[in-house]
mmCIF file of all heavy atoms in Angstrom:
data_model
loop_
_atom_site.group_PDB
_atom_site.id
_atom_site.type_symbol
_atom_site.label_atom_id
_atom_site.label_comp_id
_atom_site.label_asym_id
_atom_site.label_seq_id
_atom_site.Cartn_x
_atom_site.Cartn_y
_atom_site.Cartn_z
ATOM 1 N N VAL A 29 10.637 -1.884 21.832
ATOM 2 C CA VAL A 29 9.425 -1.194 21.399
ATOM 3 C C VAL A 29 8.812 -0.398 22.557
ATOM 4 O O VAL A 29 8.359 0.737 22.383
ATOM 5 C CB VAL A 29 8.421 -2.228 20.831
ATOM 6 C CG1 VAL A 29 7.044 -1.639 20.689
ATOM 7 C CG2 VAL A 29 8.916 -2.747 19.493
ATOM 8 N N VAL A 32 10.757 2.727 23.034
ATOM 9 C CA VAL A 32 10.412 3.694 21.984
ATOM 10 C C VAL A 32 9.129 4.417 22.351
ATOM 11 O O VAL A 32 9.024 5.646 22.263
ATOM 12 C CB VAL A 32 10.256 2.989 20.614
ATOM 13 C CG1 VAL A 32 9.549 3.884 19.612
ATOM 14 C CG2 VAL A 32 11.610 2.558 20.092
ATOM 15 N N ALA A 33 8.139 3.652 22.808
ATOM 16 C CA ALA A 33 6.851 4.249 23.174
ATOM 17 C C ALA A 33 7.028 5.244 24.313
ATOM 18 O O ALA A 33 6.470 6.342 24.297
ATOM 19 C CB ALA A 33 5.867 3.162 23.575
ATOM 20 N N LEU A 34 7.815 4.870 25.304
ATOM 21 C CA LEU A 34 8.018 5.762 26.434
ATOM 22 C C LEU A 34 8.740 7.032 25.992
ATOM 23 O O LEU A 34 8.403 8.132 26.416
ATOM 24 C CB LEU A 34 8.828 5.050 27.526
ATOM 25 C CG LEU A 34 8.064 3.920 28.258
ATOM 26 C CD1 LEU A 34 8.986 3.132 29.156
ATOM 27 C CD2 LEU A 34 6.903 4.490 29.058
ATOM 28 N N ALA A 35 9.724 6.878 25.106
ATOM 29 C CA ALA A 35 10.480 8.039 24.626
ATOM 30 C C ALA A 35 9.571 8.972 23.843
ATOM 31 O O ALA A 35 9.604 10.186 24.017
ATOM 32 C CB ALA A 35 11.650 7.575 23.767
ATOM 33 N N CYS A 36 8.731 8.406 22.984
ATOM 34 C CA CYS A 36 7.871 9.225 22.141
ATOM 35 C C CYS A 36 6.793 9.906 22.963
ATOM 36 O O CYS A 36 6.351 11.006 22.631
ATOM 37 C CB CYS A 36 7.196 8.381 21.058
ATOM 38 S SG CYS A 36 8.375 7.722 19.880
ATOM 39 N N GLY A 37 6.377 9.295 24.055
ATOM 40 C CA GLY A 37 5.290 9.862 24.834
ATOM 41 C C GLY A 37 5.682 11.152 25.525
ATOM 42 O O GLY A 37 4.828 11.922 25.936
ATOM 43 N N ASP A 39 7.390 13.608 24.152
ATOM 44 C CA ASP A 39 7.764 14.622 23.179
ATOM 45 C C ASP A 39 7.013 15.934 23.360
ATOM 46 O O ASP A 39 5.836 15.952 23.701
ATOM 47 C CB ASP A 39 7.454 14.113 21.766
ATOM 48 C CG ASP A 39 8.711 13.618 21.091
ATOM 49 O OD1 ASP A 39 9.805 14.012 21.538
ATOM 50 O OD2 ASP A 39 8.600 12.854 20.133
ATOM 51 N N ALA A 43 8.749 21.411 19.411
ATOM 52 C CA ALA A 43 10.188 21.531 19.170
ATOM 53 C C ALA A 43 10.642 20.660 18.016
ATOM 54 O O ALA A 43 11.812 20.339 17.928
ATOM 55 C CB ALA A 43 10.932 21.140 20.440
ATOM 56 N N ASN A 44 9.764 20.261 17.115
ATOM 57 C CA ASN A 44 10.134 19.316 16.072
ATOM 58 C C ASN A 44 10.544 20.043 14.808
ATOM 59 O O ASN A 44 9.709 20.486 14.013
ATOM 60 C CB ASN A 44 8.951 18.382 15.776
ATOM 61 C CG ASN A 44 9.321 17.341 14.745
ATOM 62 O OD1 ASN A 44 10.500 17.089 14.494
ATOM 63 N ND2 ASN A 44 8.312 16.753 14.128
ATOM 64 N N ARG A 45 11.856 20.128 14.594
ATOM 65 C CA ARG A 45 12.321 20.811 13.385
ATOM 66 C C ARG A 45 12.048 20.004 12.135
ATOM 67 O O ARG A 45 12.096 20.550 11.042
ATOM 68 C CB ARG A 45 13.818 21.112 13.498
ATOM 69 C CG ARG A 45 14.105 22.603 13.565
ATOM 70 C CD ARG A 45 15.555 22.899 13.441
ATOM 71 N NE ARG A 45 15.922 23.097 12.034
ATOM 72 C CZ ARG A 45 17.164 23.023 11.574
ATOM 73 N NH1 ARG A 45 18.142 22.697 12.381
ATOM 74 N NH2 ARG A 45 17.431 23.234 10.309
ATOM 75 N N ALA A 46 11.793 18.718 12.308
ATOM 76 C CA ALA A 46 11.515 17.881 11.128
ATOM 77 C C ALA A 46 10.267 18.363 10.414
ATOM 78 O O ALA A 46 10.134 18.231 9.205
ATOM 79 C CB ALA A 46 11.338 16.420 11.537
ATOM 80 N N ALA A 47 9.338 18.923 11.168
ATOM 81 C CA ALA A 47 8.085 19.386 10.577
ATOM 82 C C ALA A 47 8.135 20.876 10.269
ATOM 83 O O ALA A 47 7.130 21.458 9.889
ATOM 84 C CB ALA A 47 6.922 19.086 11.529
ATOM 85 N N ARG A 93 0.223 24.055 18.549
ATOM 86 C CA ARG A 93 1.228 23.204 17.919
ATOM 87 C C ARG A 93 2.551 23.950 17.754
ATOM 88 O O ARG A 93 3.626 23.372 17.879
ATOM 89 C CB ARG A 93 0.723 22.714 16.562
ATOM 90 C CG ARG A 93 1.681 21.779 15.849
ATOM 91 C CD ARG A 93 1.119 21.300 14.531
ATOM 92 N NE ARG A 93 2.170 20.716 13.710
ATOM 93 C CZ ARG A 93 2.487 19.414 13.692
ATOM 94 N NH1 ARG A 93 1.829 18.563 14.441
ATOM 95 N NH2 ARG A 93 3.476 18.973 12.924
ATOM 96 N N GLU A 236 -12.221 20.924 -7.984
ATOM 97 C CA GLU A 236 -11.145 20.510 -7.085
ATOM 98 C C GLU A 236 -10.811 21.605 -6.083
ATOM 99 O O GLU A 236 -9.803 21.541 -5.398
ATOM 100 C CB GLU A 236 -9.896 20.171 -7.903
ATOM 101 C CG GLU A 236 -10.061 18.909 -8.727
ATOM 102 C CD GLU A 236 -8.822 18.603 -9.555
ATOM 103 O OE1 GLU A 236 -7.825 19.330 -9.465
ATOM 104 O OE2 GLU A 236 -8.882 17.619 -10.323
ATOM 105 N N ASN A 238 -10.629 24.035 -2.874
ATOM 106 C CA ASN A 238 -10.571 23.758 -1.447
ATOM 107 C C ASN A 238 -10.228 25.058 -0.710
ATOM 108 O O ASN A 238 -9.898 26.072 -1.334
ATOM 109 C CB ASN A 238 -9.517 22.700 -1.158
ATOM 110 C CG ASN A 238 -8.215 22.981 -1.873
ATOM 111 O OD1 ASN A 238 -7.548 23.980 -1.601
ATOM 112 N ND2 ASN A 238 -7.839 22.120 -2.797
ATOM 113 N N GLU A 251 6.100 25.493 5.496
ATOM 114 C CA GLU A 251 6.344 24.088 5.862
ATOM 115 C C GLU A 251 5.680 23.715 7.187
ATOM 116 O O GLU A 251 4.976 22.714 7.252
ATOM 117 C CB GLU A 251 7.841 23.805 5.898
ATOM 118 C CG GLU A 251 8.126 22.329 6.159
ATOM 119 C CD GLU A 251 9.588 21.974 6.013
ATOM 120 O OE1 GLU A 251 10.431 22.838 6.253
ATOM 121 O OE2 GLU A 251 9.854 20.816 5.668
ATOM 122 N N ASP A 254 1.926 23.587 6.692
ATOM 123 C CA ASP A 254 1.552 22.362 5.965
ATOM 124 C C ASP A 254 1.560 21.159 6.881
ATOM 125 O O ASP A 254 0.636 20.335 6.872
ATOM 126 C CB ASP A 254 2.535 22.107 4.813
ATOM 127 C CG ASP A 254 2.216 22.919 3.581
ATOM 128 O OD1 ASP A 254 1.091 23.432 3.491
ATOM 129 O OD2 ASP A 254 3.103 23.039 2.706
ATOM 130 N N SER A 255 2.621 21.032 7.672
ATOM 131 C CA SER A 255 2.720 19.880 8.585
ATOM 132 C C SER A 255 1.556 19.893 9.566
ATOM 133 O O SER A 255 0.979 18.855 9.881
ATOM 134 C CB SER A 255 4.035 19.913 9.364
ATOM 135 O OG SER A 255 5.130 19.789 8.498
ATOM 136 N N ARG A 258 -1.670 18.815 7.771
ATOM 137 C CA ARG A 258 -1.658 17.359 7.528
ATOM 138 C C ARG A 258 -1.910 16.592 8.819
ATOM 139 O O ARG A 258 -2.667 15.626 8.859
ATOM 140 C CB ARG A 258 -0.327 16.931 6.914
ATOM 141 C CG ARG A 258 -0.205 17.190 5.431
ATOM 142 C CD ARG A 258 0.974 16.437 4.848
ATOM 143 N NE ARG A 258 2.231 16.972 5.313
ATOM 144 C CZ ARG A 258 2.943 17.900 4.671
ATOM 145 N NH1 ARG A 258 2.508 18.382 3.525
ATOM 146 N NH2 ARG A 258 4.067 18.343 5.163
ATOM 147 N N SER A 259 -1.244 17.049 9.870
ATOM 148 C CA SER A 259 -1.420 16.374 11.159
ATOM 149 C C SER A 259 -2.874 16.466 11.609
ATOM 150 O O SER A 259 -3.461 15.482 12.069
ATOM 151 C CB SER A 259 -0.490 17.019 12.184
ATOM 152 O OG SER A 259 -0.750 16.515 13.466
ATOM 153 N N THR A 262 -5.050 14.062 9.602
ATOM 154 C CA THR A 262 -4.879 12.646 9.925
ATOM 155 C C THR A 262 -5.393 12.307 11.309
ATOM 156 O O THR A 262 -5.944 11.226 11.522
ATOM 157 C CB THR A 262 -3.392 12.262 9.803
ATOM 158 O OG1 THR A 262 -2.909 12.694 8.537
ATOM 159 C CG2 THR A 262 -3.194 10.779 9.935
ATOM 160 N N ASN B 75 -6.834 17.349 -6.391
ATOM 161 C CA ASN B 75 -7.406 16.151 -6.995
ATOM 162 C C ASN B 75 -7.399 15.013 -5.987
ATOM 163 O O ASN B 75 -6.349 14.542 -5.571
ATOM 164 C CB ASN B 75 -6.601 15.777 -8.246
ATOM 165 C CG ASN B 75 -7.211 14.618 -8.995
ATOM 166 O OD1 ASN B 75 -7.284 13.502 -8.488
ATOM 167 N ND2 ASN B 75 -7.671 14.872 -10.201
ATOM 168 N N ASP B 132 17.830 18.496 15.247
ATOM 169 C CA ASP B 132 16.771 19.110 16.058
ATOM 170 C C ASP B 132 15.387 18.543 15.779
ATOM 171 O O ASP B 132 14.388 19.248 15.970
ATOM 172 C CB ASP B 132 16.689 20.636 15.849
ATOM 173 C CG ASP B 132 17.720 21.359 16.684
ATOM 174 O OD1 ASP B 132 18.121 20.807 17.719
ATOM 175 O OD2 ASP B 132 18.124 22.461 16.274
ATOM 176 N N PHE B 133 15.327 17.279 15.335
ATOM 177 C CA PHE B 133 14.018 16.646 15.243
ATOM 178 C C PHE B 133 13.601 16.276 16.656
ATOM 179 O O PHE B 133 14.454 16.000 17.514
ATOM 180 C CB PHE B 133 14.076 15.348 14.420
ATOM 181 C CG PHE B 133 14.378 15.543 12.963
ATOM 182 C CD1 PHE B 133 14.658 16.794 12.417
ATOM 183 C CD2 PHE B 133 14.382 14.463 12.107
ATOM 184 C CE1 PHE B 133 14.942 16.961 11.076
ATOM 185 C CE2 PHE B 133 14.659 14.604 10.754
ATOM 186 C CZ PHE B 133 14.941 15.854 10.239
ATOM 187 N N ASP B 134 12.293 16.213 16.917
ATOM 188 C CA ASP B 134 11.914 15.715 18.232
ATOM 189 C C ASP B 134 12.092 14.196 18.248
ATOM 190 O O ASP B 134 12.386 13.583 17.227
ATOM 191 C CB ASP B 134 10.497 16.156 18.617
ATOM 192 C CG ASP B 134 9.403 15.463 17.824
ATOM 193 O OD1 ASP B 134 9.694 14.541 17.059
ATOM 194 O OD2 ASP B 134 8.233 15.858 17.992
ATOM 195 N N THR B 135 11.928 13.614 19.433
ATOM 196 C CA THR B 135 12.273 12.191 19.600
ATOM 197 C C THR B 135 11.481 11.313 18.647
ATOM 198 O O THR B 135 12.021 10.395 18.012
ATOM 199 C CB THR B 135 12.030 11.753 21.050
ATOM 200 O OG1 THR B 135 12.611 12.704 21.918
ATOM 201 C CG2 THR B 135 12.619 10.380 21.315
ATOM 202 N N SER B 136 10.170 11.587 18.542
ATOM 203 C CA SER B 136 9.329 10.753 17.666
ATOM 204 C C SER B 136 9.814 10.800 16.228
ATOM 205 O O SER B 136 9.953 9.760 15.570
ATOM 206 C CB SER B 136 7.875 11.234 17.697
ATOM 207 O OG SER B 136 7.376 11.274 18.999
ATOM 208 N N ALA B 137 10.066 12.008 15.753
ATOM 209 C CA ALA B 137 10.494 12.157 14.361
ATOM 210 C C ALA B 137 11.862 11.527 14.144
ATOM 211 O O ALA B 137 12.118 10.901 13.121
ATOM 212 C CB ALA B 137 10.520 13.634 13.968
ATOM 213 N N VAL B 187 4.102 2.525 16.692
ATOM 214 C CA VAL B 187 4.312 3.097 18.027
ATOM 215 C C VAL B 187 4.454 4.614 17.935
ATOM 216 O O VAL B 187 3.826 5.362 18.688
ATOM 217 C CB VAL B 187 5.568 2.480 18.685
ATOM 218 C CG1 VAL B 187 5.889 3.175 19.997
ATOM 219 C CG2 VAL B 187 5.373 0.993 18.917
ATOM 220 N N SER B 191 1.965 7.687 19.219
ATOM 221 C CA SER B 191 2.407 8.694 20.173
ATOM 222 C C SER B 191 1.951 10.086 19.774
ATOM 223 O O SER B 191 2.024 11.013 20.576
ATOM 224 C CB SER B 191 3.930 8.686 20.299
ATOM 225 O OG SER B 191 4.522 9.293 19.167
ATOM 226 N N GLY B 198 3.440 7.781 27.607
ATOM 227 C CA GLY B 198 4.246 6.750 26.950
ATOM 228 C C GLY B 198 3.718 5.363 27.218
ATOM 229 O O GLY B 198 3.649 4.516 26.311
ATOM 230 N N ALA B 202 2.275 2.562 24.561
ATOM 231 C CA ALA B 202 2.813 1.197 24.419
ATOM 232 C C ALA B 202 1.685 0.174 24.513
ATOM 233 O O ALA B 202 1.608 -0.760 23.703
ATOM 234 C CB ALA B 202 3.859 0.927 25.496
ATOM 235 N N GLU B 314 19.263 23.357 2.572
ATOM 236 C CA GLU B 314 18.922 22.598 3.780
ATOM 237 C C GLU B 314 18.437 21.196 3.431
ATOM 238 O O GLU B 314 18.793 20.217 4.094
ATOM 239 C CB GLU B 314 17.843 23.368 4.561
ATOM 240 C CG GLU B 314 17.385 22.691 5.839
ATOM 241 C CD GLU B 314 18.481 22.461 6.859
ATOM 242 O OE1 GLU B 314 19.532 23.135 6.787
ATOM 243 O OE2 GLU B 314 18.318 21.571 7.701
ATOM 244 N N LYS B 370 4.791 12.023 7.114
ATOM 245 C CA LYS B 370 4.387 13.332 6.580
ATOM 246 C C LYS B 370 2.910 13.567 6.871
ATOM 247 O O LYS B 370 2.512 14.662 7.292
ATOM 248 C CB LYS B 370 4.648 13.349 5.082
ATOM 249 C CG LYS B 370 4.422 14.678 4.419
ATOM 250 C CD LYS B 370 4.788 14.595 2.947
ATOM 251 C CE LYS B 370 4.339 15.860 2.252
ATOM 252 N NZ LYS B 370 3.857 15.676 0.914
ATOM 253 N N GLN B 371 2.081 12.555 6.657
ATOM 254 C CA GLN B 371 0.640 12.733 6.863
ATOM 255 C C GLN B 371 0.313 13.007 8.324
ATOM 256 O O GLN B 371 -0.687 13.640 8.631
ATOM 257 C CB GLN B 371 -0.136 11.492 6.390
ATOM 258 C CG GLN B 371 -0.083 11.246 4.895
ATOM 259 C CD GLN B 371 -0.348 12.481 4.073
ATOM 260 O OE1 GLN B 371 -1.248 13.275 4.355
ATOM 261 N NE2 GLN B 371 0.456 12.700 3.044
ATOM 262 N N HIS B 372 1.140 12.514 9.225
ATOM 263 C CA HIS B 372 0.907 12.750 10.643
ATOM 264 C C HIS B 372 1.600 14.010 11.143
ATOM 265 O O HIS B 372 1.621 14.265 12.352
ATOM 266 C CB HIS B 372 1.342 11.532 11.464
ATOM 267 C CG HIS B 372 0.358 10.405 11.414
ATOM 268 N ND1 HIS B 372 -0.660 10.254 12.329
ATOM 269 C CD2 HIS B 372 0.205 9.404 10.524
ATOM 270 C CE1 HIS B 372 -1.384 9.189 12.003
ATOM 271 N NE2 HIS B 372 -0.877 8.653 10.920
ATOM 272 N N GLY B 373 2.174 14.767 10.226
ATOM 273 C CA GLY B 373 2.782 16.034 10.613
ATOM 274 C C GLY B 373 4.114 15.897 11.329
ATOM 275 O O GLY B 373 4.609 16.848 11.916
ATOM 276 N N LEU B 374 4.712 14.696 11.285
ATOM 277 C CA LEU B 374 6.017 14.503 11.930
ATOM 278 C C LEU B 374 7.144 14.973 11.017
ATOM 279 O O LEU B 374 8.186 15.422 11.485
ATOM 280 C CB LEU B 374 6.218 13.023 12.274
ATOM 281 C CG LEU B 374 5.368 12.527 13.445
ATOM 282 C CD1 LEU B 374 5.320 11.014 13.456
ATOM 283 C CD2 LEU B 374 5.899 13.039 14.771
ATOM 284 N N GLY B 376 8.124 17.400 7.634
ATOM 285 C CA GLY B 376 7.666 18.446 6.737
ATOM 286 C C GLY B 376 8.079 18.143 5.312
ATOM 287 O O GLY B 376 8.660 17.095 5.021
ATOM 288 N N ASN B 377 7.823 19.095 4.413
ATOM 289 C CA ASN B 377 8.159 18.903 3.001
ATOM 290 C C ASN B 377 9.654 18.719 2.800
ATOM 291 O O ASN B 377 10.089 17.940 1.956
ATOM 292 C CB ASN B 377 7.683 20.110 2.188
ATOM 293 C CG ASN B 377 6.181 20.190 2.137
ATOM 294 O OD1 ASN B 377 5.491 19.176 2.175
ATOM 295 N ND2 ASN B 377 5.652 21.403 2.070
ATOM 296 N N GLY B 378 10.451 19.462 3.600
ATOM 297 C CA GLY B 378 11.906 19.376 3.451
ATOM 298 C C GLY B 378 12.418 17.977 3.739
ATOM 299 O O GLY B 378 13.191 17.403 2.958
ATOM 300 N N VAL B 379 11.986 17.409 4.857
ATOM 301 C CA VAL B 379 12.436 16.057 5.229
ATOM 302 C C VAL B 379 11.947 15.047 4.190
ATOM 303 O O VAL B 379 12.686 14.156 3.775
ATOM 304 C CB VAL B 379 11.926 15.677 6.632
ATOM 305 C CG1 VAL B 379 12.203 14.218 6.943
ATOM 306 C CG2 VAL B 379 12.570 16.567 7.673
#
Side-chain angles (χ1 to χ4, degrees):
Chain A
V29 166
V32 165
L34 290 171
C36 294
D39 259 340
N44 183 18
R45 246 190 90 199
R93 182 179 165 92
E236 291 179 2
N238 47 65
E251 185 172 29
D254 278 344
S255 296
R258 280 194 291 267
S259 173
T262 309
Chain B
N75 185 296
D132 278 334
F133 293 3
D134 71 7
T135 312
S136 305
V187 174
S191 75
E314 180 60 20
K370 186 177 171 216
Q371 294 313 317
H372 282 269
L374 287 164
N377 292 329
V379 172

